[in-house]
Amino acid sequence: MTEKTLLQRYVHILTVVACYWFVSITLVFVNKSLLSGAEKLDAPLFVTCYQCIVTVAACYAIRTASRIFPDRISFPSLQLDIQVIKQVMPLSIVFVGMITFNNLCLKHVDISFYYIGRSLTTVFNVLMTYFILGQKTSLSAIACCGVIVGGFYLGVDQEDAAGSFSLSGTIYGILASLFVSLFSIYTKKVLPSVDGNIWALTFYNNVNACVLFLPLMVIFGEIPTVFNFQYLTSINFWFMMTIGGIFGFGIGYVTGLQIKVTSPLTHNISGTAKAAAQTVLATQWFMETKSFLWWLSNMVVLGGSLAYARVRQLEMKNN
């Protein structure tokens, strides 16, 4: 009976991770099309805010469906609680930073380099775990982080040698890595505020994000850009925007779910491995040719990340 329960648990975790990979990779390609495609809109904050609005609308739609089919669909009440809004707000600020810098990085770099640009997540996870949670990391784990940093440097060097290096895109990628690590840590801390319910956390997080994005769009002058956009009445543009919003809703849920069924560390490792697969897919899709050292940088980062995961696994087992 215990073996069967353990098997079911592993199958459940594997299913959640697979869903995270599918939704995340699809969202990256859709957002790249919106930010750098034929009908690109030079307003990344607006694009991201719209995805948050779609997520809130999706929550209300599923809540309505749960009332019609209570035996098949379960969804929490969506009555806004001021106290919960305040408790979730720190996570929402991190969430806004994470998805904004993600999209800004994606706007300025190719999807194939997006993996290297975002590869420092594990390194920041170690740093933030120490500074926020006060947990120390072993020398072996720190050495693995050193390997990741070395792979990141090699990747940046090779991207520069190929003539496709973007300093702003790389900086945005580093900041995105920082906020991804913060998001993993704060999700665990904030979940009790919504009784551990991922749907409720997704709803409150995106409601807060919609409010936070409004002043940012004004400050960065995106409102005139949106109103003057030549494809503003294009059905295809709004279709892609809505698809991005739906997958944005999906990634918010599966990210929280993956953290809940595994851990912040496992979530970050899963994201790194997913990005490696995404890199291979992108080079094939866009028919890009990369040098041996460029591929080596990806393998070094992946190897360092996997070694780090193994070191942490052994440390947790021993403790």
Side-chain angles (χ1 to χ4, degrees):
M1 187 68 181
T2 304
E3 183 179 352
K4 183 179 178 181
T5 303
L6 186 61
L7 177 62
Q8 290 174 338
R9 181 186 174 192
Y10 282 137
V11 170
H12 176 61
I13 292 174
L14 183 62
T15 302
V16 170
V17 172
C19 287
Y20 169 78
W21 278 42
F22 171 74
V23 173
S24 181
I25 291 176
T26 304
L27 180 61
V28 167
F29 276 83
V30 170
N31 280 344
K32 183 62 177 176
S33 175
L34 288 169
L35 296 167
S36 304
E39 297 184 0
K40 66 177 181 180
L41 172 60
D42 190 20
L45 294 175
F46 172 77
V47 172
T48 312
C49 181
Y50 181 81
Q51 292 177 350
C52 293
I53 293 173
V54 172
T55 296
V56 173
C59 287
Y60 277 112
I62 296 176
R63 174 57 180 168
T64 301
S66 70
R67 290 174 177 173
I68 299 174
F69 307 103
D71 296 334
R72 297 183 180 182
I73 302 174
S74 175
F75 203 84
S77 172
L78 297 182
Q79 293 180 351
L80 291 173
D81 187 321
I82 298 299
Q83 291 302 318
V84 176
I85 288 177
K86 291 179 180 179
Q87 291 171 346
V88 176
M89 185 59 74
L91 177 67
S92 300
I93 294 173
V94 173
F95 176 69
V96 167
M98 179 183 74
I99 56 180
T100 297
F101 288 124
N102 267 335
N103 281 350
L104 286 171
C105 175
L106 194 56
K107 177 183 177 182
H108 291 87
V109 305
D110 295 330
I111 294 179
S112 55
F113 183 69
Y114 185 62
Y115 170 46
I116 294 296
R118 287 275 322 283
S119 62
L120 298 181
T121 300
T122 301
V123 178
F124 280 119
N125 191 65
V126 170
L127 293 173
M128 294 303 104
T129 299
Y130 174 74
F131 287 112
I132 295 176
L133 303 180
Q135 298 177 3
K136 296 183 178 180
T137 305
S138 67
L139 289 177
S140 298
I142 293 175
C144 294
C145 290
V147 173
I148 295 173
V149 173
F152 171 80
Y153 177 79
L154 179 60
V156 169
D157 178 70
Q158 288 304 298
E159 194 74 5
D160 186 37
S164 54
F165 174 69
S166 169
L167 177 60
S168 58
T170 302
I171 293 174
Y172 290 137
I174 293 172
L175 290 172
S177 298
L178 170 61
F179 278 90
V180 167
S181 296
L182 289 172
F183 185 76
S184 299
I185 293 172
Y186 275 99
T187 294
K188 281 285 189 181
K189 294 180 70 174
V190 172
L191 265 174
S193 301
V194 290
D195 297 323
N197 192 295
I198 296 298
W199 288 114
L201 182 62
T202 299
F203 173 72
Y204 277 103
N205 207 20
N206 282 272
V207 167
N208 285 346
C210 290
V211 175
L212 291 171
F213 271 120
L214 291 176
L216 291 176
M217 287 189 291
V218 174
I219 292 171
F220 288 96
E222 288 196 358
I223 303 300
T225 302
V226 173
F227 279 106
N228 294 326
F229 183 52
Q230 61 177 327
Y231 296 110
L232 191 61
T233 58
S234 169
I235 295 177
N236 181 65
F237 169 74
W238 286 108
F239 174 75
M240 291 296 291
M241 285 280 284
T242 303
I243 290 296
I246 292 172
F247 275 89
F249 165 73
I251 195 63
Y253 175 71
V254 296
T255 295
L257 185 60
Q258 182 170 245
I259 294 171
K260 184 178 181 180
V261 302
T262 57
S263 68
L265 170 64
T266 305
H267 164 66
N268 288 332
I269 297 301
S270 173
T272 301
K274 181 274 306 180
Q278 181 177 281
T279 298
V280 176
L281 181 61
T283 55
Q284 295 301 311
W285 183 269
F286 296 106
M287 294 181 289
E288 298 174 351
T289 302
K290 300 295 183 181
S291 67
F292 169 76
L293 288 177
W294 188 93
W295 283 109
L296 179 62
S297 68
N298 282 266
M299 289 186 284
V300 169
V301 170
L302 181 60
S305 299
L306 293 177
Y308 177 83
R310 178 57 177 168
V311 168
R312 294 291 291 142
Q313 181 186 38
L314 292 175
E315 290 176 352
M316 286 185 234
K317 184 177 180 181
N318 292 334
N319 292 332

